[in-house]
Amino acid sequence: QQWGRATRALVSLWTPAEAAGEGRGGRSRASIEYYRWADVTPELLARVAWAPIKNPKRTIEKLVRSYGGKACKLLDVCRDSLVFEHTWELEEGLKSILEDKDIQVVYAKDRLGEDYDAENKSSGYRDVLLNLRIITDETKRLGIAGHVVEIQLQLLQYAQIKKLGGGHKRYVAVRNANGQ
């Protein structure tokens, strides 16, 4: 929220019907609306479509396929995203995170760069991915200052394809074909 409010980031919200549980038995990604974080009121906060923690089945699959069973390499169990309409806004958001004194960046992947082979590696999907630690008095008190989280900085057009246009299913198919 802090980075989203400090920049021009968008956040995905469930539609009012989905947020009230009036959907068709399960929340549909087609029921997502995007708002600027700066415009999210306390009432709208209840509709934020927070990313869930990584599915246990996928967690085990990734540990076996990608990390040889080494759980210390798994860095994206807790994750979320910031969405931006324009690349200059995404750059502003990235700068805001990198300048945050409470952040320690553990790993960064630029899937927007010209040298990234999005077609073969991610079925065309692109973003900037950061694995980081949030180190504050509160995270130290809770004993989680060493925990690594993932933040994906996405352009709106890719976020919409990922959530609404079947883009994530294509990404999973490519990932599985590559044994990742």
Side-chain angles (χ1 to χ4, degrees), residues 95-108:
K95 183 178 178 187
S96 177
I97 293 170
L98 296 177
E99 291 177 350
D100 189 325
K101 65 177 179 43
D102 295 330
I103 297 304
Q104 177 188 39
V105 176
V106 175
Y107 176 77

Side-chain angles (χ1 to χ4, degrees), residues 51-112:
I53 62 169
K54 185 175 282 299
N55 178 294
K57 179 182 176 206
R58 173 62 184 143
T59 300
I60 292 167
E61 183 179 81
K62 192 170 186 178
L63 282 172
V64 172
R65 288 181 179 179
S66 301
Y67 302 133
K70 296 178 182 172
C72 64
K73 293 189 171 205
L74 189 65
L75 303 177
D76 62 346
V77 175
C78 294
R79 68 269 168 94
D80 219 321
S81 59
L82 291 173
V83 178
F84 301 91
E85 288 185 89
H86 306 284
T87 53
W88 68 267
E89 293 171 336
L90 189 145
E91 290 171 3
E92 178 184 280
L94 177 60
K95 183 178 178 187
S96 177
I97 293 170
L98 296 177
E99 291 177 350
D100 189 325
K101 65 177 179 43
D102 295 330
I103 297 304
Q104 177 188 39
V105 176
V106 175
Y107 176 77
K109 183 187 288 185
D110 179 4
R111 293 190 282 212
L112 286 174

Side-chain angles (χ1 to χ4, degrees), residues 16-176:
E18 289 292 334
E22 299 167 8
R24 298 179 303 250
R27 287 186 166 172
S28 164
R29 286 292 178 189
S31 302
I32 293 287
E33 303 172 329
Y34 289 91
Y35 284 74
R36 291 224 181 272
W37 260 115
D39 298 332
V40 174
T41 63
E43 295 78 28
L44 289 176
L45 197 57
R47 291 180 33 210
V48 171
W50 300 107
I53 62 169
K54 185 175 282 299
N55 178 294
K57 179 182 176 206
R58 173 62 184 143
T59 300
I60 292 167
E61 183 179 81
K62 192 170 186 178
L63 282 172
V64 172
R65 288 181 179 179
S66 301
Y67 302 133
K70 296 178 182 172
C72 64
K73 293 189 171 205
L74 189 65
L75 303 177
D76 62 346
V77 175
C78 294
R79 68 269 168 94
D80 219 321
S81 59
L82 291 173
V83 178
F84 301 91
E85 288 185 89
H86 306 284
T87 53
W88 68 267
E89 293 171 336
L90 189 145
E91 290 171 3
E92 178 184 280
L94 177 60
K95 183 178 178 187
S96 177
I97 293 170
L98 296 177
E99 291 177 350
D100 189 325
K101 65 177 179 43
D102 295 330
I103 297 304
Q104 177 188 39
V105 176
V106 175
Y107 176 77
K109 183 187 288 185
D110 179 4
R111 293 190 282 212
L112 286 174
E114 291 178 17
D115 58 336
Y116 180 73
D117 183 6
E119 191 61 39
N120 291 313
K121 291 185 177 181
S122 59
S123 193
Y125 177 73
R126 294 176 168 273
D127 66 5
V128 173
L129 178 144
L130 298 173
N131 292 123
L132 46 89
R133 290 185 180 97
I134 302 172
I135 304 172
T136 64
D137 289 339
E138 184 177 7
T139 60
K140 289 175 187 175
R141 182 180 60 76
L142 294 170
I144 58 172
H147 184 75
V148 178
V149 298
E150 178 178 285
I151 302 293
Q152 296 176 9
L153 305 177
Q154 304 170 327
L155 290 171
L156 179 59
Q157 63 199 40
Y158 288 107
Q160 289 173 324
I161 291 168
K162 180 179 178 181
K163 290 186 178 182
L164 307 176
H168 192 258
K169 287 182 182 179
R170 285 192 301 277
Y171 169 74
V172 169
V174 169
R175 181 189 71 207
N176 288 341

